[in-house]
Amino acid sequence: MHGTDQTARRLLDSSARLSRDPATEIDWEAPLGDGYGLSPEWSTLYGTAYWDELTEAQRVELTRHEAASVASTGIWFEMILQQLILRDVYSVNPASAEFQWALTEIADECRHSIMFARASGRLVDAEYRPGTKARELGRMFKTVATGETAYAAILVAEEVLDVMQRDWMRDRRVEPLVRTVNHIHVVEESRHMVFARDETRQRLAGSGAARRWVSALVIAIAADMIVSSMVTRAVYANAGLDPERALREARANEHHRSLLRSSCANLMDFLGEVGLLTPAATRVYRRTGLR
């Protein structure tokens, strides 16, 4: 592990002061209200003709299923992230701040995954997970990804969720349980993003153009895999909508693509700064709607 000891120590100090425990800080038995699962503007159908036809109750139900699906994608990638980091610190000195911060981050992610799972179970009676292709690609990625490829892919997942959840946690139309979950996640993920950026820069030091080209493309493909898995066809069926029509209108929804692009502006600036925004990678990001 090549992250600076100073950064790791600073993040450990921050974690000691600001870490949250969802098991005790959230009242899991409190009854749910009738709030949205996420800000309606972030719904994949917001701005479409189909959205205009939905009743308020249907919109709320749709966003709850969308929030549960996004949470399941978060759990899936957090499991990948934990394995990447454990493999990376396998031979690192346990007395080092880098090693101890890595395990602290893994502990955070474990709590987050449990928190997402419990919140999803409260919101909807449905099980979501990425499709078979994404799960198998994820299995391969967690086995072979190293260096900047691993840490920049971690950053992509965290940055995209971060901007969404900052909007949702401030939106009083959103169910209070969801807002609290998002607030806890945003506070703790801010440390993880600092770590991922620092590690990406460190791993790229002295790397050549060919390595950056390959890494940039792999990271972009991972981003595509993550974003395309967030809201699946099953969401629309479980929300009582016509899944074929909903999926068709969601894929053509320029409003949602615009939100995704704006959420990734800082990420794209960073990838460009470190040489990971090649023409080939940019084409993938454009297809995904992140660029």
Side-chain angles (χ1 to χ4, degrees), residues 160-220:
V160 172
L161 277 175
D162 183 70
V163 174
M164 291 180 181
Q165 292 182 328
R166 285 179 186 273
D167 281 352
W168 305 347
M169 74 183 194
R170 300 186 187 108
D171 191 341
R172 294 192 175 276
R173 296 170 297 175
V174 174
E175 185 62 35
L177 170 64
V178 178
R179 292 170 58 200
T180 302
V181 165
N182 289 334
H183 184 265
I184 290 173
H185 194 246
V186 163
V187 168
E188 297 196 334
E189 287 298 319
S190 63
R191 296 191 293 269
H192 301 177
M193 289 188 287
V194 169
F195 181 62
R197 284 174 180 253
D198 187 66
E199 284 293 324
T200 300
R201 287 192 182 95
Q202 293 286 335
R203 302 310 176 92
L204 282 168
S207 63
R211 174 175 160 180
R212 288 174 188 261
W213 190 92
V214 172
S215 294
L217 186 58
V218 171
I219 294 160

Side-chain angles (χ1 to χ4, degrees), residues 58-122:
Q58 287 176 310
R59 292 173 178 177
V60 168
E61 184 70 6
L62 170 62
T63 61
R64 290 188 175 206
H65 281 275
E66 288 176 316
S69 182
V70 170
S72 77
T73 303
I75 293 170
W76 166 65
F77 201 78
E78 284 180 345
M79 293 175 69
I80 292 174
L81 179 160
Q82 291 171 54
Q83 293 177 74
L84 291 173
I85 295 176
L86 275 175
R87 182 156 47 82
D88 197 40
V89 300
Y90 182 76
S91 298
V92 172
N93 177 9
S96 68
E98 289 88 350
F99 179 87
Q100 292 169 32
W101 163 251
L103 294 192
T104 300
E105 177 168 354
I106 290 169
D108 288 347
E109 300 298 4
C110 286
R111 291 195 306 273
H112 295 168
S113 293
I114 295 169
M115 176 176 69
F116 286 155
R118 293 184 72 175
S120 297
R122 292 296 314 280

Side-chain angles (χ1 to χ4, degrees), residues 3-12 101 194-195 198:
T4 65
D5 191 71
Q6 182 179 11
T7 298
R9 289 186 186 282
R10 178 163 54 85
L11 294 173
L12 282 169
W101 163 251
V194 169
F195 181 62
D198 187 66

